[in-house]
Amino acid sequence: MDIDKKLDSLKRIQPVDPPPFLYTRIMARIESAGSLPAPFAWRWAFVAVFILLLSLNFSVLLKTSDEPTSPGIEEVIYAMDLSTTNDLYRE
């Protein structure tokens, strides 16, 4: 029952009128702050992270392309005397 009283008290809240020209002031502040460039240290940090990720991607790509494919599946096929073709019947 106590929760019902608290919820009923919310119904008595009156809406507040915003100050005049609030939207205009907010938009003016956004437009004036939008012309600031990013800090110089952030630019260097972005470039460093980009180069690091790019070099990491290239190293993974080169490492995986140098490794020969594993002959594991071929060994299993020949050990179990499975067919390597799509023929349904052996002739």
Side-chain angles (χ1 to χ4, degrees), residues 3-77:
I3 192 76
D4 292 331
K5 290 179 184 178
K6 290 179 182 178
L7 289 175
D8 287 337
S9 68
L10 291 176
K11 294 178 183 176
R12 293 187 302 243
I13 295 176
Q14 298 294 324
V16 178
D17 293 327
F21 303 109
L22 177 67
Y23 179 74
T24 307
R25 283 187 266 164
I26 291 173
M27 292 308 294
R29 185 178 282 182
I30 289 173
E31 289 175 3
S32 68
S35 63
L36 297 174
F40 194 67
W42 287 13
R43 291 184 210 170
W44 278 108
F46 177 75
V47 169
V49 168
F50 181 74
I51 290 172
L52 178 70
L53 287 175
L54 192 64
S55 62
L56 181 65
N57 283 336
F58 278 127
S59 66
V60 168
L61 180 68
L62 293 176
K63 182 179 178 185
T64 56
S65 65
D66 289 343
E67 294 177 2
T69 59
S70 63
I73 192 69
E74 288 87 8
E75 290 177 8
V76 171
I77 290 173

